[in-house]
Amino acid sequence: AGMFDHPQLQPLVHKQLALVESSLRNTGIGMSDWFVGDGDITGTTLAMLAATGRYYDPAIIQRFAPNRPGAYNTYIGELQYSLSATAHAAHALTLLGENAAAPIQFLLEQCTPEGVWNGDKWHTSWLYLTGHIVEALCQAGMERKALDTLPVVLDNQRADGSWGVRSASMEETAYATQMLCALDRAGVLPEHGRQALDAATNWMIQHYRPLVADRSQVWIGKELYQPIRVVRAFTLSALLSVVMVPLELEMAA
């Protein structure tokens, strides 16, 4: 959410970064110190560390690249690639200063005629996958291509400012909000996009309940489920990026 350097978050952020850094191995990083390395988690970890000035050998993420050019797997030996793992690998490679042309091109080839991405093997919401690919495209300097997703994203915003495939969802609204923020940081979000972002901000503020879990189940395991703390992290980062950062800028002005 572009908040690594926020002064109120820095002490906690650096403590967590040090913990994650100590857990990263040349085989990647998994769900725990004892679990097999995971290309998805490895990609997001390398992107996170690179975004804070820490450089790691990109060969760590290349271990998860199968024979299909540009595609990345979540686990070594998997038969099917993962679009979200590919997006996270592209994001990490770009932040590390490496050539991410192959995964970026692969992702562009998977774009639907409507201009979004869906069909990920780990998540049912197209907003999750599209949002992460938009982040990767913006980081790779392809913000104009990322902007092509805006019409369909705005067309799917509900009248109350929220998003949700089945019903209004804090989780999916957070994904769309972070996507709009990424376009805004890249300097390409038009005025009607800002208005949509304002509407989403108002909806999230009105409906955020820290002690009540969002009941949406859009993650794919053996059945649909929700990783509660992961979803809460997405929600909080979206809220903070639309509330705290503008407030800091206003105070500075």
Side-chain angles (χ1 to χ4, degrees):
M3 300 191 68
F4 279 127
D5 296 326
H6 194 286
Q8 289 179 264
L9 297 177
Q10 270 194 338
L12 178 60
V13 165
H14 287 292
K15 178 181 177 181
Q16 294 298 323
L17 286 171
L19 178 63
V20 172
E21 198 170 16
S22 68
S23 301
L24 182 63
R25 306 178 295 273
N26 60 5
T27 55
I29 187 169
M31 289 183 280
S32 76
D33 290 342
W34 301 276
F35 206 81
V36 65
D38 173 327
D40 213 3
I41 299 174
T42 299
T44 53
T45 296
L46 289 177
M48 178 177 66
L49 294 172
T52 56
R54 295 161 170 81
Y55 180 84
Y56 282 86
D57 187 348
I60 300 174
I61 191 63
Q62 298 295 12
R63 297 181 71 253
F64 299 93
N67 293 328
R68 183 164 184 172
Y72 284 76
N73 285 353
T74 305
Y75 297 105
I76 293 174
E78 269 187 311
L79 296 179
Q80 299 88 22
Y81 61 82
S82 164
L83 287 173
S84 58
T86 302
H88 297 148
H91 195 178
L93 289 170
T94 301
L95 283 166
L96 289 168
E98 299 294 321
N99 187 349
I104 290 292
Q105 181 58 38
F106 178 79
L107 291 170
L108 292 176
E109 291 170 359
Q110 312 310 310
C111 188
T112 68
E114 295 77 26
V116 299
W117 287 264
N118 55 34
D120 188 56
K121 65 188 296 182
W122 303 117
H123 210 288
T124 64
S125 175
W126 64 271
L127 288 162
Y128 171 87
L129 182 59
T130 300
H132 285 223
I133 293 175
V134 164
E135 285 273 6
L137 291 175
C138 287
Q139 192 62 49
M142 301 184 68
E143 53 275 352
R144 289 292 170 185
K145 191 65 180 177
L147 190 61
D148 290 345
T149 65
L150 186 62
V152 68
V153 172
L154 298 189
D155 283 347
N156 281 273
Q157 187 176 27
R158 296 173 180 271
D160 60 6
S162 68
W163 279 267
V165 172
R166 296 180 180 85
S167 59
S169 163
M170 183 66 72
E171 177 183 354
E172 291 182 277
T173 301
Y175 298 147
T177 296
Q178 289 186 329
M179 198 185 323
L180 296 179
C181 286
L183 293 171
D184 194 27
R185 289 194 299 272
V188 295
L189 187 67
E191 181 57 33
H192 63 285
R194 293 178 185 275
Q195 293 171 1
L197 185 56
D198 288 342
T201 300
N202 291 333
W203 185 87
M204 292 185 77
I205 291 172
Q206 291 171 13
H207 291 83
Y208 177 61
R209 301 292 184 270
L211 301 180
V212 179
D214 185 338
R215 294 184 179 275
S216 62
Q217 293 185 320
V218 289
W219 294 70
I220 304 172
K222 292 185 180 298
E223 59 185 9
L224 295 181
Y225 74 104
Q226 182 192 97
I228 294 173
R229 293 202 298 172
V230 174
V231 170
R232 186 168 292 164
F234 276 114
T235 301
L236 283 172
S237 60
L239 270 168
L240 290 172
S241 63
V242 294
V243 175
M244 288 181 67
V245 172
L247 179 61
E248 292 289 336
L249 293 173
E250 182 178 334
M251 292 174 66

